[in-house]
Every structure is written in C-alpha cells, then in structure tokens.
C-alpha cells in the first residue's frame, strides 16, 4: 500500500467501491472472470487527489486489479 489514508476512510472506500460499482462476468475459453465497470478505471488514476475519500477509493481500485 503506497497511500496513507485513515482506517475509517479505507473501510468506507471498500464498501463504496464494491457496493456502488456494477460487476459483470466474461468468459474466455474455460475461464470465467469477474470484471468491474468503468468506475474502477476512472478512480484508479486519482491516487494523488487532495480528498482523502478519493485517495482511499483509488487505493481500493488499485489493490483489486494489477495494472
């Protein structure tokens, strides 16, 4: 984890990202993958925001996907 956010902000970010984002399944051959909607990609790039809530959500989104 490369961001510093409060425990409360991180807890709220996890709840927000996994309850407000829509998820969908894709199949590639014999693999089924759970994919987030566009909100994850949008929030991932906001890691240097001045708002702690936005930084926490960005941290959650970046922890979820490796890229």
């Amino acid at each position: 984890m490369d961001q510093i956010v409060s425990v409360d902000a991180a807890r709220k970010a996890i709840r927000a990202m996994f309850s407000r984002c829509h998820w969908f399944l894709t199949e590639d051959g014999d693999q089924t993958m759970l994919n987030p909607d566009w909100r994850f990609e949008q929030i991932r790039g906001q890691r240097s925001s001045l708002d702690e809530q936005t930084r926490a959500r960005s941290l959650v989104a970046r922890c979820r996907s490796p890229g």
Side-chain angles (χ1 to χ4, degrees):
M1 295 188 358
D2 59 351
Q3 297 283 165
I4 297 177
V5 295
S6 67
V7 172
D8 190 44
R11 190 174 294 127
K12 288 178 182 179
I14 291 168
R15 179 191 295 165
M17 294 303 291
F18 288 98
S19 66
R20 294 183 183 163
C21 288
H22 298 281
W23 297 81
F24 59 95
L25 295 173
T26 57
E27 292 186 31
D28 183 21
D30 61 346
Q31 293 182 343
T32 302
M33 297 173 39
L34 181 64
N35 296 305
D37 65 2
W38 57 271
R39 290 180 189 106
F40 257 76
E41 290 304 316
Q42 182 182 17
I43 199 72
R44 282 182 72 208
Q46 297 180 350
R47 66 186 285 172
S48 60
S49 173
L50 296 178
D51 180 39
E52 182 183 35
Q53 180 180 7
T54 304
R55 283 194 323 269
R57 288 181 181 181
S58 176
L59 178 62
V60 169
R62 287 183 289 116
C63 288
R64 186 263 174 219
S65 58

